[in-house]
Amino acid sequence: MKTLLKLNINGEDFDLAASPGAYLVDVIRETVGLTGTKKGCGIGDCGACTVLIDGRPTLSCLTLALACVGKEIVTIEGLSKGNELHPVQKAFIDKGAVQCGFCTPGMVLSAAALLRENDRPSRDEIKTALAGNLCRCTGYTKIVEAVEHAGQLISGEAHHG
Amino acid sequence: MAKREFDVIGSTVTRKDAPKKVKGEHEFADDLQFPMMLHGRIKRSDIAHSRILSIDTSKAQALPGVKAVLIGSETPIKYGIVPQMPTEYAIAHEKVRFHGEPVAAVAAVDPETAERALDLIEVVYEPLPVYTTPEEAMAEGAVKIHEDNKFPGNIAYEADQDFGDVEKAFADSHYVLEKTFKTSYVNHAFMEPHCAVSKFDTNGELFIWSTTQVPHYLHRHLSKVLQMEMDRIHVKVTGVGGAFGGKGEVSNNELISALLARKAGRPVKVLYSRREVFLQHRGRHPIQMRVKVGVDKEGMITAIDYDGTMDGGSYGGWGLVILFYTAAMLHLPYDVKNVRFRARRIFTNKPTCGAMRGLGGVQPRFALESLLDQIAIDLGMNPYDLKKKNAIGLKHETVSGQVVRHCEFRKCLDQATELSGYREKHGKLPFGKGIGLAGGYYISGTAYTLYMAYKPHSSALIRVDTEGGVTVYCGATDIGQGSDTVLGMMAAEKFGLPFETIHVVSGDTSLAPFDLGSFASRVTVAAGSAVCKAADNIIDKLLPVAAVQLGVRAEQLEAKRGMIRSVFEPGKEIAFWDVVSKYIDAHGPLTATGDYTPPRRTGKFKGANIGHSPTYGFSAQVTEVDVDLETGEVRVLRVTEAGDCGQPINPVSVEGQVEGSIMMGLGQALYEEVKVGRDGRLMNPSLHDYKIPTMADLPELNTTFVESYDPDSPYGAKEAGEGPIQPVIPAIFNAVYDAIGVRFTEMPITPERVLRALDEKKRQEGGTC
Ligand code: FES
Ligand code: FES
């Protein structure tokens, strides 16, 4: 049996029907149709499904949709303001941190959450904060550079480009 | 003489897919939804080797919501990526050969119903002995895993090649070293699981969206397995979330989605779980290799003798090709006159091995680069000196007849060692810290298609249109490496137009002309050549039109910076798009094609067609490690790579390929190994238990290129996606030797192995005191 629930995703309320055991990742992808959130394992090992819940990076494949009622959910689609990309998104593009793009949404959201707490993280802080987001393409180097660069963009020390 | 001043080539452009990817807009197969779409799930065997006595699907069929159930007897046509040796079925037929093999499939209205239906399918098995190692499978009296296999002892294929006089060369050698090496069973671990969606239209034509490297081979296989004409099948490559060879042959889910869609009369999606990705596998072959190298007094290599047993897993896959690639990849980038190769690939009851980044090269490089390091040390030479002496020059023909038309490997050795301070540090770092050097190389495409056709390996069509702009149509497949960007950059350079204005349509068998696929590091050279040729043909049509307008000869015109202009008379120029418009007014649509066929070379021995490539990339790496003597943990601190990839077309993308290769190699060297139980069951088929490197493992990577330009390649470019993984593993092993004096010959170097080796060393040293 499905139950009705209201989820706030990217600032908008969605009235949805989902089974009580449904995971947030599936509700976001299948029911709402926001497919930017990726599913690389479904059991909490890869970080591809990361979304922000009340600002905290959270694995949506381990989170029940029902548990998110009344919370603010931000997916990759909601990070940018319209066509104005978030500094992390800009930095990922500028630094060549994107290859296949499958890990990218989760990686970008984890990085955005880190920089909200600390816009001048050290390399080690970046590596620790993002160690739960796996990427098999890039070898991580350009992602670390992008996160550093995004921090500079946020703190106004560098310009896009 | 090739021109070297470029506007677009070698610059950093923004990949057009990057903005979409950072917003999550790039579409992958699992993002697709169709009205009435069903979800397919696969029932997998819980036994590794057995005959299938019966399958009862009646209860599954009766479950509400189930729309189709499929078993192996409905799809009894064998296929294989090597078409001469088909071994596989879409669903196991009469027999299962590994634990987790598909035995039935269900399409239902939702995944939960499909999964429930799987539990209702009853399979009766008659168990057979399970062989999880080549030794067991080859043992006297072992049951044949493939009954129609013509070789004894579950040998899938074997090969022997002899060049020169190996015995005499060893007899004349000053020093000979022989060791046995063992490589591990590793998976690509790309982030996106396999997924395919199939849909038949009312006319009975099949449309399939899949995450594949090889739409053309998928097209052929679908035609064979579904018994349909190829022109009624349309393969569309979606976003590919990493592949590395693992999506380089047809996967069961693709065939099953099409078969279920046909049976159910509705679209069907078949998405794999992560465990199923490990079962589909096609990862790197574990090889046990006995390798012997001789050198003369000066350290010049006199001979190499190789004997290897490859654990192939249950099916053929790319195995035959990989076997012969291993032969071809044995001794380059060094000049060796006497070479003996003996090898065999063995069927075992495990998920099938196949193509993984750098196939054919990674295992022999591990052995050879380790042995050369040790030989140099034993002779009191610096390993750099020994390798430099033996390195091939700018042009080379191997004893097996492979022609290297362009090589800057010596520069790679120089640059990597200079930048890292290797010569000063090697042998001089404190105990526990070490530095290692290794070299490698890779092909830039192959000389032959798998099914020996004469048609060009790549083709491109360019349409230049006053309304639609420039569109490059090419069947090449962007699997995340950025090949669409490379092809677009080449066209932009040719036309003198900004990269942003070039559209690339790829990875679609109906829209784009033929290309073999993304494998063997072939796209930049092969598809790039086809695109460049098509662009040249467009320009040949435009220049006479411009010449009339300008009152000059066509031969003195070039397309540059949005203009067609005279190279001799400054100011004589006309806008590119004005010329296009005039051409179309007078002649109609402006299109042209281009194609590429690599030079065909061969020899008169078995496997002689394999290993040839139009051109080769090279690299050298120096790796610094820190071995924790308490915990046994090996940490890679720094990797300095110097690569010869010709002219980098898009340097940031090339760096990305190198960095990705280094981390993938590092994983295999230190952590990764798929573990198999005695009953053939995978013990760690998850990204939790199968450890790939995380960001926390990232060392400092210093990626550099040497000055290089292959004049016979499109814009001087050579491969970069697979060569850089070749030196990674031996460079780490050599560094560990430098750190603690232990020569590991088996990967991965786990902390337990390090501690055991240190203990052993202490005991031995204690014993000699
Ligand atoms: S899909 Fe959630 S962690 Fe992998
Ligand atoms: S870009 Fe492919 S997994 Fe990260």
Side-chain angles (χ1 to χ4, degrees), chain B residues 496-762:
Chain B
L497 296 174
F499 164 73
E500 297 72 43
T501 65
I502 310 289
H503 307 284
V504 177
V505 175
S506 66
D508 187 312
T509 58
S510 303
L511 294 179
F514 177 82
D515 178 87
L516 279 174
S518 284
F519 57 89
S521 267
R522 56 178 297 282
V523 180
T524 298
V525 171
S529 295
V531 167
C532 286
K533 232 196 244 179
D536 283 337
N537 290 337
I538 293 272
I539 291 170
D540 284 348
K541 294 183 182 191
L542 288 176
L543 296 190
V545 175
V548 171
Q549 297 295 318
L550 297 172
V552 298
R553 291 192 69 85
E555 294 82 56
Q556 58 171 268
L557 294 175
E558 65 171 1
K560 196 105 181 145
R561 316 228 163 106
M563 309 300 283
I564 292 188
R565 66 187 196 189
S566 165
V567 280
F568 302 126
E569 297 177 63
K572 287 251 181 203
E573 59 180 23
I574 176 171
F576 178 89
W577 286 107
D578 286 346
V579 183
V580 171
S581 167
K582 291 198 173 1
Y583 178 94
I584 292 176
D585 288 350
H587 302 280
L590 175 55
T591 61
T593 61
D595 57 65
Y596 178 73
T597 306
R600 285 180 162 238
R601 298 189 179 95
T602 190
K604 290 206 176 355
F605 55 92
K606 203 169 140 203
N609 288 350
I610 298 176
H612 300 279
S613 174
T615 190
Y616 300 81
F618 296 85
S619 69
Q621 269 167 31
V622 174
T623 299
E624 292 163 73
V625 301
D626 189 351
V627 180
D628 186 322
L629 304 173
E630 299 294 316
T631 64
E633 191 199 351
V634 176
R635 270 204 80 81
V636 176
L637 304 176
R638 203 170 294 111
V639 180
T640 307
E641 141 96 18
D644 162 21
C645 61
Q647 161 74 48
I649 303 297
N650 181 359
V652 171
S653 284
V654 179
E655 286 167 14
Q657 287 299 307
V658 174
E659 289 155 3
S661 291
I662 292 173
M663 290 309 281
M664 191 176 277
L666 184 150
Q668 182 166 8
L670 300 180
Y671 321 125
E672 293 178 34
E673 186 164 35
V674 178
K675 295 216 164 67
V676 183
R678 289 299 307 150
D679 61 353
R681 184 193 311 255
L682 297 190
M683 306 306 282
N684 57 345
S686 74
L687 293 174
H688 181 264
D689 298 322
Y690 180 87
K691 295 258 178 260
I692 68 168
T694 74
M695 205 179 280
D697 302 309
L698 174 66
E700 184 185 326
L701 305 184
N702 184 13
T703 301
T704 68
F705 308 122
V706 303
E707 184 63 34
S708 172
Y709 193 96
D710 177 351
D712 298 312
S713 283
Y715 292 111
K718 308 196 288 186
E719 79 86 30
E722 302 189 70
I725 200 171
Q726 307 293 340
V728 181
I729 297 170
I732 292 173
F733 276 66
N734 291 345
V736 170
Y737 181 84
D738 189 48
I740 57 171
V742 177
R743 175 64 61 189
F744 285 98
T745 54
E746 197 172 324
M747 56 179 81
I749 310 184
T750 57
E752 300 76 56
R753 283 190 174 142
V754 171
L755 291 179
R756 222 179 305 134
L758 285 171
D759 268 0
E760 176 69 11
K761 196 173 144 79
K762 226 181 267 166

Side-chain angles (χ1 to χ4, degrees), chain A residues 38-50 59-62:
Chain A
K38 299 301 172 204
K39 199 169 164 181
C41 69
I43 50 172
D45 297 334
C46 74
C49 65
T50 303
L59 299 176
S60 61
C61 74
L62 295 184

Side-chain angles (χ1 to χ4, degrees), chain B residues 333-368:
Chain B
Y334 304 106
D335 186 359
V336 186
K337 298 280 181 284
N338 305 291
V339 179
R340 179 161 60 203
F341 177 85
R342 298 273 180 278
R344 56 215 68 80
R345 180 179 189 269
I346 310 300
F347 287 124
T348 55
N349 296 117
K350 294 197 295 212
T352 307
C353 295
M356 181 165 164
R357 191 179 222 161
L359 71 87
V362 169
Q363 301 93 330
R365 287 279 68 66
F366 165 52
L368 263 297

Side-chain angles (χ1 to χ4, degrees), chain A residues 26 29-31 33-48 76-85 88-90 92-105 107-108 123 126-145 147, chain B residues 12 14-15 17-28 30-33 37 39 187-193 240-244 269 271 273-274 356-357 479-481 635 651-653 655-657 659-661 663-664 667 672 686-690 692-701:
Chain A
D26 298 320
R29 286 179 52 81
E30 313 280 329
T31 316
L34 289 173
T35 54
T37 304
K38 299 301 172 204
K39 199 169 164 181
C41 69
I43 50 172
D45 297 334
C46 74
I76 191 68
E77 290 90 346
L79 187 66
S80 48
K81 300 212 168 26
N83 279 336
E84 176 62 21
L85 296 177
V88 172
Q89 293 172 313
K90 286 182 194 163
F92 267 59
I93 298 170
D94 290 347
K95 294 294 171 189
V98 181
Q99 287 191 31
C100 80
F102 199 80
C103 70
T104 310
M107 202 66 96
V108 165
R123 289 210 150 201
I126 296 172
K127 289 184 192 176
T128 310
L130 270 60
N133 290 81
L134 298 179
C135 172
R136 192 62 151 175
C137 299
T138 63
Y140 301 113
T141 302
K142 297 203 181 322
I143 296 179
V144 174
E145 286 167 9
V147 178
Chain B
T12 296
T14 297
R15 290 171 59 149
D17 52 351
K20 292 200 261 180
K21 286 173 175 171
V22 299
K23 286 188 80 180
E25 276 172 21
H26 193 69
E27 204 161 68
F28 295 89
D30 187 34
D31 301 339
L32 298 175
Q33 296 279 3
M37 187 178 83
H39 295 267
N187 183 267
H188 316 81
F190 36 73
M191 285 299 113
E192 179 212 23
V240 178
F244 317 113
K269 177 188 281 184
L271 165 70
S273 66
R274 179 55 59 177
M356 181 165 164
R357 191 179 222 161
I479 55 173
Q481 85 283 43
R635 270 204 80 81
V652 171
S653 284
E655 286 167 14
Q657 287 299 307
E659 289 155 3
S661 291
M663 290 309 281
M664 191 176 277
E672 293 178 34
S686 74
L687 293 174
H688 181 264
D689 298 322
Y690 180 87
I692 68 168
T694 74
M695 205 179 280
D697 302 309
L698 174 66
E700 184 185 326
L701 305 184

